[in-house]
Every structure is written in C-alpha cells, then in structure tokens.
Amino acid sequence: MAAIGAKRGGTDLMQLFYAPRSPFSRKILAAIVELGLTAQVSLVRVDPWTHETLRRYNPACKVPTLLLADGSALFDSPVIARYLDSLSENTLIPPGPQVWDALRREALGDALAEAVIRRFVDQLSRRDDRLDRVVARQEVAITAILDRLEAAADWMRAPTDLGHLAIACALDYLDGRSPELAWGAQRHLLAAWFYDFRGNSSMKIAADPEKGAFRIVNQSHPLAEV
Ligand SMILES: N[C@@H](CCC(=O)N[C@@H](CS)C(=O)NCC(=O)O)C(=O)O
C-alpha cells in the first residue's frame, strides 16, 4: 500500500465497492472525479445488505469499500478519501489550519447522512418495534446540523473540499429519502448553495457513475481485474 500522505501519481487499478444511493459512496465518487483519478478506479456496484462477498474485504460489510491492487481494502469513507487525496496532485484537504474547517465540514455532512439513514431505517420497523425516541433523536440532529450549516454560511464561499462534497451528498440523500422534512423551506442560503453545487460535474457523475466516466467491473467477479 502506498504511504498515506505521500503524494504520488498512482497508476494501480483500484476497485470501489459502492451503492448508487449511498451518500458515503457518492462522496467518494465525487472526490475521485475532483481528484482526477477516474482512470485508476473501477466500480463494483453492490447491495451491502445482501452482498456477503464484500464482508471478505470489510468485516462490517458496508459501502464504500476501496479494494487496492495488493488485495488489501480501505474503509470508512473518511479513510478512503484521505488515501485517494494522497494519490493526486489535486487536493480536497486544504493545507494549514484550514484543514480543520474542511474536516469539521466533512464530519457534519457525514453525521447528517448518518442521521437521515438511521431515521429512515427505524421508520421501516414495525410499529411495535419502533423506538420513537430514536427517530426523534435523529430529527433533532438533522435540524441542528442544517441550522448550523445555514447560520455559519462562510463555508459556502471556500474552495471545494471534502466537506463540501460530504454536505452536498448528504443533502441530496435527505432530499430523496425524507422530502417531507422540506429542509430547504426555511434555509434559503443552504438551499441555494446546494442546488448550485449539485450542478458541478463531479456531483453529476457521482449521481450516475455508470454512464461513462468509470470502468465497471462485473460484480460476480470483482477480483477479475485486480
Ligand atoms: N461511516 C461509514 C458509513 C458507511 C455506511 O453506513 N454505508 C451504508 C450505506 S449508505 C451501508 O453500507 N450500510 C449497510 C449496513 O449498515 O449493513 C462511512 O463513512 O463509510
């Protein structure tokens, strides 16, 4: 495995296990495009809930998981993002003290996605099994994160970093999974930023990655090209 943090022009083919709707997968797909690494990563589309082969590489059996050319795997998405960033001449992690702003943004975006997923999954439970306080707690987190992003709007003007990708992918997921929350109605700055940002080519490719930019691997033989 290449030393993390060592910038180099990697040429080894990697495989990304991803799911199309997963906000964490989308963050990584958008990062790959922003970092100019699409030729070095091929895609394996999986359903993490049923694709047990994935567990061989990631015991938690979650997407995204990045399989490296030496057969080792990286997860979770923040780890994958840092590894990919170390391979590129571009960067999504600003140097100096601003790194903490970018990583805080990434953590906020990931926490938002996590809360939307947990709320959705718990709502699927049978009424008797459902823990309403779990759903309510996710809603409090979703509201607090959105309000924080709306109130401290300076970040919207910063150059694109991992945090912007995480936030945009989480908002996209929120839009699709929980339209009833109408998050944009009271948060005009955030909504305007998001509807503009999602027009970026990295976001568009991440939303439909099999359309051309990436090489696709047959999911029943994911190791065939390693
Ligand atoms: N913290 C992880 C979260 C990954 C995650 O939760 N992925 C979901 C899809 S969005 C998944 O694979 N779920 C399957 C499961 O929970 O078993 C990351 O950032 O990669």
Side-chain angles (χ1 to χ4, degrees):
M1 191 191 303
I4 293 182
K7 290 270 177 189
R8 62 169 198 139
T11 53
D12 300 334
L13 198 61
M14 297 167 276
Q15 292 186 355
L16 180 73
F17 288 79
Y18 86 104
R21 296 187 75 161
S22 155
F24 307 103
S25 297
R26 280 207 194 175
K27 177 182 73 174
I28 294 303
L29 289 163
I32 291 169
V33 176
E34 293 280 346
L35 292 168
L37 296 174
T38 48
Q40 294 173 50
V41 183
S42 49
L43 302 185
V44 188
R45 175 157 47 92
V46 293
D47 176 353
W49 294 90
T50 58
H51 194 94
E52 278 298 309
T53 317
L54 177 59
R55 205 177 294 281
R56 210 190 301 159
Y57 311 118
N58 177 352
C61 205
K62 291 190 176 193
V63 290
T65 293
L66 185 69
L67 186 57
L68 306 183
D70 67 2
S72 64
L74 288 178
F75 40 85
D76 295 350
S77 63
V79 178
I80 296 172
R82 275 148 199 74
Y83 179 71
L84 293 170
D85 199 82
S86 79
L87 300 180
S88 174
E89 293 308 315
N90 306 338
T91 188
L92 289 167
I93 305 176
Q98 284 166 341
V99 66
W100 305 116
D101 294 331
L103 297 185
R104 186 185 302 110
R105 282 194 274 278
E106 184 190 19
L108 272 178
D110 286 355
L112 177 60
E114 189 72 43
V116 178
I117 291 169
R118 283 190 68 186
R119 176 180 181 270
F120 177 72
V121 169
D122 209 69
Q123 281 181 325
L124 289 181
S125 313
R126 279 189 306 116
R127 191 68 238 173
D128 305 347
D129 297 343
R130 189 187 296 172
L131 279 174
D132 283 337
R133 67 190 160 79
V134 173
V135 174
R137 190 166 166 77
Q138 304 321 308
E139 289 172 359
V140 171
I142 292 167
T143 301
I145 293 169
L146 293 171
D147 288 347
R148 164 86 72 100
L149 293 171
E150 174 78 6
D154 277 3
W155 63 270
M156 296 178 196
R157 288 182 288 277
T160 297
D161 61 37
L162 268 180
H164 296 90
L165 301 183
I167 291 165
C169 292
L171 291 174
D172 213 22
Y173 188 75
L174 176 61
D175 247 5
R177 270 290 184 234
S178 314
E180 74 284 2
L181 294 181
W183 65 270
Q186 304 298 327
R187 301 179 186 91
H188 301 297
L189 293 175
L190 188 58
W193 173 82
F194 169 65
Y195 291 116
D196 179 54
F197 192 86
R198 78 170 179 182
N200 291 349
S201 63
S202 59
M203 290 295 294
K204 285 192 189 150
I205 292 170
D208 197 1
E210 298 199 3
K211 217 169 170 181
F214 287 94
R215 210 131 63 95
I216 310 300
V217 177
N218 179 342
Q219 60 167 286
S220 49
H221 304 288
L223 282 171
E225 295 189 22
V226 170

PDB file of all heavy atoms in Angstrom, residues 115 118 131-142:
ATOM      1  N   ALA A 115     -27.668  10.374  10.275  1.00  0.00           N
ATOM      2  CA  ALA A 115     -28.943  10.609  10.976  1.00  0.00           C
ATOM      3  C   ALA A 115     -30.131  10.352  10.050  1.00  0.00           C
ATOM      4  O   ALA A 115     -31.160   9.800  10.474  1.00  0.00           O
ATOM      5  CB  ALA A 115     -28.978  12.038  11.527  1.00  0.00           C
ATOM      6  N   ARG A 118     -30.451   6.528   9.724  1.00  0.00           N
ATOM      7  CA  ARG A 118     -30.980   5.894  10.953  1.00  0.00           C
ATOM      8  C   ARG A 118     -32.469   6.194  11.125  1.00  0.00           C
ATOM      9  O   ARG A 118     -33.245   5.343  11.522  1.00  0.00           O
ATOM     10  CB  ARG A 118     -30.211   6.383  12.178  1.00  0.00           C
ATOM     11  CG  ARG A 118     -28.850   5.731  12.301  1.00  0.00           C
ATOM     12  CD  ARG A 118     -28.199   6.031  13.626  1.00  0.00           C
ATOM     13  NE  ARG A 118     -28.901   5.393  14.746  1.00  0.00           N
ATOM     14  CZ  ARG A 118     -28.580   5.614  16.019  1.00  0.00           C
ATOM     15  NH1 ARG A 118     -27.595   6.427  16.324  1.00  0.00           N
ATOM     16  NH2 ARG A 118     -29.241   5.016  16.988  1.00  0.00           N
ATOM     17  N   LEU A 131     -38.650   2.487  18.010  1.00  0.00           N
ATOM     18  CA  LEU A 131     -38.331   3.309  19.163  1.00  0.00           C
ATOM     19  C   LEU A 131     -38.502   4.760  18.731  1.00  0.00           C
ATOM     20  O   LEU A 131     -37.653   5.322  18.053  1.00  0.00           O
ATOM     21  CB  LEU A 131     -36.872   3.078  19.581  1.00  0.00           C
ATOM     22  CG  LEU A 131     -36.599   1.836  20.426  1.00  0.00           C
ATOM     23  CD1 LEU A 131     -35.107   1.656  20.628  1.00  0.00           C
ATOM     24  CD2 LEU A 131     -37.304   1.966  21.772  1.00  0.00           C
ATOM     25  N   ASP A 132     -39.634   5.351  19.094  1.00  0.00           N
ATOM     26  CA  ASP A 132     -39.904   6.706  18.621  1.00  0.00           C
ATOM     27  C   ASP A 132     -38.832   7.692  19.076  1.00  0.00           C
ATOM     28  O   ASP A 132     -38.542   8.659  18.397  1.00  0.00           O
ATOM     29  CB  ASP A 132     -41.277   7.174  19.108  1.00  0.00           C
ATOM     30  CG  ASP A 132     -42.382   6.546  18.278  1.00  0.00           C
ATOM     31  OD1 ASP A 132     -42.096   6.156  17.132  1.00  0.00           O
ATOM     32  OD2 ASP A 132     -43.502   6.431  18.782  1.00  0.00           O
ATOM     33  N   ARG A 133     -38.227   7.410  20.233  1.00  0.00           N
ATOM     34  CA  ARG A 133     -37.214   8.364  20.694  1.00  0.00           C
ATOM     35  C   ARG A 133     -35.959   8.300  19.808  1.00  0.00           C
ATOM     36  O   ARG A 133     -35.223   9.262  19.717  1.00  0.00           O
ATOM     37  CB  ARG A 133     -36.889   8.173  22.168  1.00  0.00           C
ATOM     38  CG  ARG A 133     -36.197   6.906  22.527  1.00  0.00           C
ATOM     39  CD  ARG A 133     -36.157   6.718  24.046  1.00  0.00           C
ATOM     40  NE  ARG A 133     -35.940   5.343  24.390  1.00  0.00           N
ATOM     41  CZ  ARG A 133     -34.762   4.752  24.361  1.00  0.00           C
ATOM     42  NH1 ARG A 133     -33.692   5.420  24.014  1.00  0.00           N
ATOM     43  NH2 ARG A 133     -34.632   3.471  24.666  1.00  0.00           N
ATOM     44  N   VAL A 134     -35.725   7.149  19.138  1.00  0.00           N
ATOM     45  CA  VAL A 134     -34.582   7.072  18.212  1.00  0.00           C
ATOM     46  C   VAL A 134     -34.870   7.958  16.998  1.00  0.00           C
ATOM     47  O   VAL A 134     -34.012   8.736  16.565  1.00  0.00           O
ATOM     48  CB  VAL A 134     -34.310   5.609  17.775  1.00  0.00           C
ATOM     49  CG1 VAL A 134     -33.241   5.562  16.693  1.00  0.00           C
ATOM     50  CG2 VAL A 134     -33.905   4.768  18.978  1.00  0.00           C
ATOM     51  N   VAL A 135     -36.084   7.855  16.467  1.00  0.00           N
ATOM     52  CA  VAL A 135     -36.458   8.693  15.319  1.00  0.00           C
ATOM     53  C   VAL A 135     -36.394  10.168  15.716  1.00  0.00           C
ATOM     54  O   VAL A 135     -35.822  11.001  14.996  1.00  0.00           O
ATOM     55  CB  VAL A 135     -37.886   8.338  14.826  1.00  0.00           C
ATOM     56  CG1 VAL A 135     -38.325   9.304  13.739  1.00  0.00           C
ATOM     57  CG2 VAL A 135     -37.930   6.912  14.316  1.00  0.00           C
ATOM     58  N   ALA A 136     -36.952  10.485  16.886  1.00  0.00           N
ATOM     59  CA  ALA A 136     -36.973  11.891  17.330  1.00  0.00           C
ATOM     60  C   ALA A 136     -35.545  12.408  17.499  1.00  0.00           C
ATOM     61  O   ALA A 136     -35.245  13.557  17.144  1.00  0.00           O
ATOM     62  CB  ALA A 136     -37.735  12.009  18.646  1.00  0.00           C
ATOM     63  N   ARG A 137     -34.674  11.566  18.016  1.00  0.00           N
ATOM     64  CA  ARG A 137     -33.279  11.994  18.231  1.00  0.00           C
ATOM     65  C   ARG A 137     -32.581  12.279  16.893  1.00  0.00           C
ATOM     66  O   ARG A 137     -31.811  13.220  16.765  1.00  0.00           O
ATOM     67  CB  ARG A 137     -32.529  10.915  19.013  1.00  0.00           C
ATOM     68  CG  ARG A 137     -31.178  11.348  19.477  1.00  0.00           C
ATOM     69  CD  ARG A 137     -30.606  10.393  20.521  1.00  0.00           C
ATOM     70  NE  ARG A 137     -29.186  10.644  20.704  1.00  0.00           N
ATOM     71  CZ  ARG A 137     -28.687  11.648  21.389  1.00  0.00           C
ATOM     72  NH1 ARG A 137     -29.484  12.503  21.967  1.00  0.00           N
ATOM     73  NH2 ARG A 137     -27.383  11.816  21.498  1.00  0.00           N
ATOM     74  N   GLN A 138     -32.879  11.477  15.891  1.00  0.00           N
ATOM     75  CA  GLN A 138     -32.279  11.735  14.573  1.00  0.00           C
ATOM     76  C   GLN A 138     -32.796  13.058  14.014  1.00  0.00           C
ATOM     77  O   GLN A 138     -32.061  13.824  13.397  1.00  0.00           O
ATOM     78  CB  GLN A 138     -32.595  10.608  13.575  1.00  0.00           C
ATOM     79  CG  GLN A 138     -32.189   9.217  14.031  1.00  0.00           C
ATOM     80  CD  GLN A 138     -30.873   9.177  14.748  1.00  0.00           C
ATOM     81  OE1 GLN A 138     -29.861   9.685  14.252  1.00  0.00           O
ATOM     82  NE2 GLN A 138     -30.849   8.586  15.933  1.00  0.00           N
ATOM     83  N   GLU A 139     -34.087  13.320  14.259  1.00  0.00           N
ATOM     84  CA  GLU A 139     -34.661  14.569  13.733  1.00  0.00           C
ATOM     85  C   GLU A 139     -34.051  15.788  14.408  1.00  0.00           C
ATOM     86  O   GLU A 139     -33.808  16.813  13.764  1.00  0.00           O
ATOM     87  CB  GLU A 139     -36.190  14.545  13.862  1.00  0.00           C
ATOM     88  CG  GLU A 139     -36.770  13.559  12.860  1.00  0.00           C
ATOM     89  CD  GLU A 139     -38.259  13.312  13.013  1.00  0.00           C
ATOM     90  OE1 GLU A 139     -38.880  13.894  13.925  1.00  0.00           O
ATOM     91  OE2 GLU A 139     -38.798  12.517  12.219  1.00  0.00           O
ATOM     92  N   VAL A 140     -33.766  15.657  15.698  1.00  0.00           N
ATOM     93  CA  VAL A 140     -33.098  16.766  16.394  1.00  0.00           C
ATOM     94  C   VAL A 140     -31.704  16.986  15.781  1.00  0.00           C
ATOM     95  O   VAL A 140     -31.285  18.125  15.527  1.00  0.00           O
ATOM     96  CB  VAL A 140     -32.986  16.471  17.916  1.00  0.00           C
ATOM     97  CG1 VAL A 140     -32.101  17.503  18.600  1.00  0.00           C
ATOM     98  CG2 VAL A 140     -34.368  16.464  18.544  1.00  0.00           C
ATOM     99  N   ALA A 141     -30.991  15.893  15.526  1.00  0.00           N
ATOM    100  CA  ALA A 141     -29.642  16.018  14.944  1.00  0.00           C
ATOM    101  C   ALA A 141     -29.715  16.627  13.541  1.00  0.00           C
ATOM    102  O   ALA A 141     -28.931  17.527  13.193  1.00  0.00           O
ATOM    103  CB  ALA A 141     -28.964  14.641  14.901  1.00  0.00           C
ATOM    104  N   ILE A 142     -30.653  16.154  12.736  1.00  0.00           N
ATOM    105  CA  ILE A 142     -30.792  16.674  11.362  1.00  0.00           C
ATOM    106  C   ILE A 142     -31.050  18.181  11.404  1.00  0.00           C
ATOM    107  O   ILE A 142     -30.395  18.970  10.708  1.00  0.00           O
ATOM    108  CB  ILE A 142     -31.941  15.931  10.621  1.00  0.00           C
ATOM    109  CG1 ILE A 142     -31.545  14.472  10.375  1.00  0.00           C
ATOM    110  CG2 ILE A 142     -32.283  16.633   9.311  1.00  0.00           C
ATOM    111  CD1 ILE A 142     -32.709  13.577   9.945  1.00  0.00           C
TER     112      ILE A 142
END
